[in-house]
Amino acid sequence: MYGELVTMGDAGVITLFSMGIVFATLLLISYVLDLFKVIFTEKKKETAAKSVAAPAPAVPAAVVEEDDDELVAVITAALAAHIGKSSDQLIVRSIVQTGGQQPAWAQAGRMELMK
C-alpha cells in the first residue's frame, strides 16, 4: 500500500488512523475505570450499611475547663524560648490545636518546618 514514497495525503491518513486508535484505547481505559468504581463502591456501601445497623450508645463529652490565659502564657514562653527572643517581643493572636486528625507524615513535615 505505502511504498518508498509517502505523500501528504498518505501521511494524513496514517495520522488520523493512529489518533483514532489512541482515542479508542483511552476511551476503553476510561470505561474500565468507571466499571471498577461501580464494582468497588457497591461493596463498600454494603459493609457500611452493616456497620450502621448497630449504633453505639451516645457518650456525653466531658467538658474540661482550662485557664486560657495560663495556656497562652505557656505557649508564648515556649515559642519565645524556641525563637530566642523575649516574650515581650511576641504577639500571640490565635492558638489553633493541630494533630490527631493529620497523618504522621504531615505532623513530621510540620515539625521539620518549625526547626
Side-chain angles (χ1 to χ4, degrees), residues 73 75-81 84-92:
I75 292 174
T76 305
L79 185 59
K85 296 183 178 183
S86 72
S87 61
D88 296 335
Q89 296 174 335
L90 296 176
I91 298 173
V92 177

Side-chain angles (χ1 to χ4, degrees), residues 2-108:
Y2 299 110
E4 295 178 19
L5 182 65
V6 178
T7 65
M8 287 299 283
D10 295 339
V13 170
I14 293 170
T15 302
L16 290 176
F17 183 72
S18 301
M19 288 175 65
I21 289 174
V22 169
F23 181 75
T25 304
L26 290 175
L27 192 63
L28 179 68
I29 291 172
S30 174
Y31 287 139
V32 168
L33 290 176
D34 287 342
L35 181 66
F36 283 161
K37 185 173 70 172
V38 169
I39 290 171
F40 293 119
T41 304
E42 289 178 6
K43 291 181 181 179
K44 288 181 182 179
K45 286 180 183 178
E46 291 174 4
T47 58
K50 290 178 183 177
S51 65
V52 173
V59 178
V63 177
V64 178
E65 294 183 18
E66 296 180 9
D67 188 10
D68 291 337
D69 294 334
E70 183 179 333
L71 181 62
V72 170
V74 168
I75 292 174
T76 305
L79 185 59
H82 180 72
I83 294 175
K85 296 183 178 183
S86 72
S87 61
D88 296 335
Q89 296 174 335
L90 296 176
I91 298 173
V92 177
R93 292 199 167 96
S94 68
I95 298 173
V96 179
Q97 182 177 1
T98 61
Q101 296 177 357
Q102 285 84 22
W105 61 266
Q107 293 175 359

